[in-house]
Amino acid sequence: MGEAFEGTIAFRVVVALRDDIVTMALKPGDVISESDIAGRYGVSRQPVREAFIRLAQQGLLLIRPKRATVVKKISPDGVRQSRFIRESIEVEIIRRVATAPAAETAAVLAELIADQEAASAANDSRRFHKLDELFHRTLARLAGVEYAWQLIDDHKMQLDRVRYLTLGVSSSQRAIAEHKIIAEAVSKGDVASAEAAMRAHLGRAELLLNQTIEDFPDYFE
Amino acid sequence: MGEAFEGTIAFRVVVALRDDIVTMALKPGDVISESDIAGRYGVSRQPVREAFIRLAQQGLLLIRPKRATVVKKISPDGVRQSRFIRESIEVEIIRRVATAPAAETAAVLAELIADQEAASAANDSRRFHKLDELFHRTLARLAGVEYAWQLIDDHKMQLDRVRYLTLGVSSSQRAIAEHKIIAEAVSKGDVASAEAAMRAHLGRAELLLNQTIEDFPDYFE
DNA sequence: TTCTTTCATCTTGTATGGTAGATCAAACTT
DNA sequence: AAGTTTGATCTACCATACAAGATGAAAGAA
């Protein structure tokens, strides 16, 4: 997002609150108020209020006029549709890249996968997560639609909350293997295989979601 | 978007400004200020400020800290990528609906097309535009991803600004003919034809964009 | 007891005053 | 004349005070 207000207090509050929400320090259903947060951060209500507005538009908060503001519960159907949107766009991206692969494509993807293997070997899950994201964003860049990835990124916050609930079960080995299949198909210009591999790669999240709903029913609508 | 603040002044300002921007009453590059708009609507600066924040997050305004706020110029690349997103999602939607068409599908789409023909015959272009939108949103509903359409709708605002610049050239006849082809393929469960028809239907906008950039260069980045 | 009503106390919404950064033109210096 | 500095005047940012709706518990009526 082109956040053009980085120096402001409101920006600091947005970043802090968003982090708290995604990492589940603020749990779905938690009630917060402008004065509450203002006091906690030692600022006035005004910048907090503006942060609330921004986070509400991102689907993380629900401002209830004259009542209170709550951390939005995760909507299973919303997550499902976010996945639908992501799969639609990423499939189209992979088609474009595979249809006319640029010269650099194979090398760039291979290097990213090598980095991922290094991070996996070092058990650095945070770095692996970053590299995983970078892999997908790079594909968007190669397709000339990096902005489209930003859109996915916005909606990925909901998914990230789910992901955070299931920390540690991420099998980076399998993800890397799937990345390799995708990269190979793309580099060869095999559109159909690339699309199928991407769908398989993204499809695994569905099971994860259902499991998570069972484990943490209070966090979902 | 689940705008949950309909009774407020800020909401009225958002609606009014968004309408002004989409209809080009406020032109790309126009400079506005909180006090300016506040005075014009007879309200205080506070709700105007909040409206600015919301519109900035929707990509219609650019708030420049300590300087001024301008109506964002239209980014040709942004419009192109919005089209990419829309096509990705709508193609996936049409696939889903065509793969397993519900019983009601054919009848629902036929009725919508009939309404469109009536609006076209009556030369009611505003009503036709609404029905055109409804056709696409209905497909999303039939695919069980109506929320995905809301996403398209948000990003469609940029396209709507372009569309408004080229008023009158909308050939509703051709659009209706294309809708018929789509509806028929979907009803028959012919996935490949439905997808191709949808791509062709959405693809026409590219030419329109290039023409518009030539005609109104000042409104684009 | 059970239902109704009142009212203290939450909340967000709005108005307004002051602050500091950004801009630009006029005055000044060289 | 050309470049520099100053200062008036914009702007958005923030703090604060007040208004009004929503809530829930306590007091009162049946």
Side-chain angles (χ1 to χ4, degrees):
Chain A
M1 210 167 316
E3 326 235 35
F5 62 113
E6 299 188 16
T8 68
I9 296 177
F11 179 77
R12 288 210 324 267
V13 176
V14 165
V15 172
L17 282 179
R18 182 162 46 200
D19 191 65
D20 281 349
I21 293 172
V22 172
T23 63
M24 290 285 171
L26 283 174
K27 304 187 194 321
D30 278 2
V31 175
I32 57 182
S33 79
E34 295 172 0
S35 4
D36 174 20
I37 303 297
R40 193 180 308 177
Y41 287 92
V43 300
S44 83
R45 264 183 56 210
Q46 180 65 21
V48 174
R49 177 174 175 75
E50 299 179 1
F52 277 20
I53 291 175
R54 290 187 156 94
L55 293 170
Q57 275 208 334
Q58 293 178 16
L60 295 180
L61 292 182
L62 176 64
I63 301 173
R64 302 179 300 179
K66 303 293 170 70
R67 283 171 65 189
T69 294
V70 301
V71 180
K72 255 200 160 185
K73 294 202 174 186
I74 304 173
S75 156
D77 191 55
V79 174
R80 216 175 40 74
Q81 296 201 32
S82 286
R83 280 210 343 97
F84 174 85
I85 291 168
R86 174 169 184 180
E87 184 171 326
S88 304
I89 295 175
E90 292 230 50
V91 162
E92 194 76 11
I93 286 174
I94 209 77
R95 281 181 171 182
R96 274 208 187 181
V97 179
T99 300
E104 50 168 354
T105 301
V108 170
L109 295 181
E111 186 180 340
L112 280 173
I113 291 176
D115 289 346
Q116 287 164 25
E117 284 178 323
S120 176
N123 247 355
D124 187 343
S125 67
R126 178 167 171 73
R127 174 166 163 73
F128 178 79
H129 180 57
K130 285 269 184 198
L131 286 168
D132 185 7
E133 210 171 292
L134 183 58
F135 182 78
H136 291 272
R137 192 171 71 231
T138 299
L139 286 170
R141 182 173 60 75
L142 290 170
V145 289
E146 195 161 14
Y147 167 76
W149 173 260
Q150 287 180 23
L151 175 77
I152 295 176
D153 205 42
D154 286 353
H155 284 259
K156 213 164 55 53
M157 276 184 302
Q158 300 294 340
L159 268 163
D160 282 342
R161 290 208 282 174
V162 175
R163 187 195 310 253
Y164 202 88
L165 287 173
T166 63
L167 215 74
V169 301
S170 78
S171 55
S172 56
Q173 295 300 330
R174 175 147 65 170
I176 290 175
E178 291 170 352
H179 284 176
K180 281 182 179 172
I181 297 175
I182 293 172
E184 191 179 0
V186 163
S187 304
K188 283 195 304 188
D190 184 345
V191 178
S193 297
E195 176 179 336
M198 178 59 84
R199 283 190 195 275
H201 182 51
L202 295 176
R204 271 192 299 130
E206 191 75 30
L207 297 172
L208 199 62
L209 173 62
N210 291 331
Q211 182 60 48
T212 309
I213 293 177
E214 280 185 25
D215 292 345
F216 304 91
D218 288 349
Y219 295 166
F220 293 84
E221 285 178 354
Chain B
M1 206 165 320
E3 326 236 34
F5 61 114
E6 299 188 16
T8 68
I9 295 178
F11 179 76
R12 288 211 324 268
V13 177
V14 165
V15 172
L17 282 179
R18 182 161 48 198
D19 191 67
D20 281 350
I21 293 172
V22 172
T23 63
M24 289 287 171
L26 283 174
K27 303 189 195 321
D30 279 1
V31 175
I32 58 183
S33 80
E34 293 174 0
S35 4
D36 175 20
I37 301 297
R40 193 179 308 176
Y41 286 93
V43 300
S44 83
R45 283 160 27 217
Q46 179 66 18
V48 174
R49 175 175 175 75
E50 299 183 0
F52 277 20
I53 292 174
R54 290 186 155 95
L55 292 170
Q57 273 207 334
Q58 294 178 15
L60 295 179
L61 292 182
L62 177 63
I63 300 174
R64 302 180 300 179
K66 302 294 167 68
R67 282 170 65 190
T69 294
V70 301
V71 179
K72 255 200 159 182
K73 294 202 176 187
I74 303 172
S75 155
D77 192 55
V79 174
R80 244 190 301 276
Q81 296 200 33
S82 287
R83 278 206 350 93
F84 174 84
I85 291 168
R86 176 171 181 178
E87 185 171 327
S88 304
I89 296 174
E90 293 229 51
V91 162
E92 194 75 12
I93 286 174
I94 209 77
R95 280 182 173 179
R96 275 208 186 180
V97 179
T99 299
E104 50 168 356
T105 302
V108 170
L109 295 180
E111 185 180 339
L112 279 173
I113 291 176
D115 290 346
Q116 287 164 25
E117 284 178 323
S120 177
N123 246 356
D124 188 344
S125 67
R126 181 168 169 71
R127 175 166 162 73
F128 177 79
H129 180 58
K130 285 270 183 196
L131 285 168
D132 185 9
E133 211 171 289
L134 183 58
F135 182 78
H136 290 272
R137 193 170 70 229
T138 299
L139 285 170
R141 181 172 60 75
L142 289 170
V145 289
E146 194 161 14
Y147 168 75
W149 173 261
Q150 288 181 22
L151 175 76
I152 295 176
D153 205 43
D154 286 352
H155 284 260
K156 214 164 55 56
M157 276 185 301
Q158 301 293 341
L159 267 163
D160 282 342
R161 290 209 283 174
V162 175
R163 188 195 308 254
Y164 202 88
L165 288 173
T166 63
L167 215 74
V169 301
S170 78
S171 55
S172 56
Q173 295 300 331
R174 175 148 65 173
I176 290 175
E178 291 171 354
H179 284 177
K180 281 182 180 173
I181 297 175
I182 294 172
E184 192 178 1
V186 164
S187 302
K188 282 196 305 188
D190 184 346
V191 178
S193 297
E195 175 179 336
M198 177 60 84
R199 282 192 195 275
H201 181 51
L202 295 175
R204 273 192 297 131
E206 190 74 30
L207 298 170
L208 198 63
L209 174 61
N210 291 330
Q211 181 61 47
T212 309
I213 293 176
E214 280 185 26
D215 293 344
F216 304 91
D218 288 349
Y219 295 165
F220 292 85
E221 281 179 357

